[in-house]
Amino acid sequence: MSNGQGGPGPQQWDPWKPQSQQPDAVAPQPWSQGGTGGPQGPDWEALAEASAAKNRRRRIVAAAVAAVVVAGGAVTAVLLTRGGDSPAPNGGSTASVSSGTPSFDPTSAPPPLDPEEILADSRKDTAPLEADGLFPGKAGQKLPLGKAQYVKGPSAQTTDCASAAQHTLPKVLNDNGCTKLLRATYTRDGVAVTVGVAVFDTAEDATAARGQADRSAIIEPLAGKGVKPFCDGAVCRTTINSYGRYAYFTITGFTDGKNVTPQAKKAFDAGDHLAHYAFQQIHRRGEAQATAAPAS
């Protein structure tokens, strides 16, 4: 039996050949209809759209797979940087992120030692204490204090505190248990200042001595090594204060023997500078011991 043009048998269906017959078992394909109503050939536009749709589905699937891989990589990175478990093969995690957070036992560093606490008690304030250590430098060496330059003169120390004090101060020192008195003299532009530091066992003793000292409680001016005697019968200016277990004093006068008057700004400034210097040196002593002390 022939179909169409006829032939020795059934003609093999070929969708790409015009007039070929489609078997009944084959699903219909897109065709373009000719003007006579018979099949004219494949619908090339429909086939192109079908192919494009298939390609789009492939791209969507590929993108979804890539997204899963990227997401898995991101989880892996987070877990590794936080010390978590290894990620599962599918890109997930066998443990939550929070479970990988390391834990540490609570610790606390000991608080730093307080220099003033050390300076308050001779049992803690045990560093060597000498006049040349508290007032460093050789005689003739300059000491800058602010914008001023002072020249160091003689220095001295004694365990007989009363021997280096005048008027009412010897009794004050003895009554409160002074164990050592250190002195040094500095000069500048015709002004001489002797600064003295009295050492006690406790801060309470030093505070009591400061409170008991009146205007007549003065230390002995220290001359020598290029410094002429001063405050010998002349009016001089004195100061007193305390810090920790130390009471510190100054006596300031003119090297030419003139009296110090309230208008003598140079003399007042010099006494204030050296009094503050004594405070600084005592505080540095406390800081050095606080830094060197082992942590408890």
Side-chain angles (χ1 to χ4, degrees), residues 114-125 176-179 198-212 241-248 282:
D114 184 0
E116 190 169 357
E117 181 179 348
I118 292 176
L119 296 170
D121 194 328
S122 61
R123 293 171 297 181
K124 299 179 181 179
D125 182 17
N176 292 283
C178 177
T179 60
V199 185
F200 300 87
D201 285 336
T202 66
E204 289 77 9
D205 296 333
T207 301
R210 181 191 66 187
Q212 295 168 17
N241 212 329
S242 67
Y243 179 48
R245 66 187 186 105
Y246 302 90
Y248 54 99
I282 296 169

Side-chain angles (χ1 to χ4, degrees), residues 38-82:
Q40 300 298 320
D43 187 342
W44 300 107
E45 183 177 354
L47 289 174
E49 290 180 359
S51 178
K54 185 176 182 181
N55 289 336
R56 282 195 299 270
R57 287 194 298 272
R58 288 178 178 175
R59 287 196 296 271
I60 292 172
V61 172
V65 173
V68 171
V69 173
V70 171
V75 172
T76 301
V78 171
L79 289 175
L80 291 179
T81 56
R82 297 190 62 169

Side-chain angles (χ1 to χ4, degrees), residues 45 169 261 292 295:
E45 183 177 354
L169 186 57
T261 65

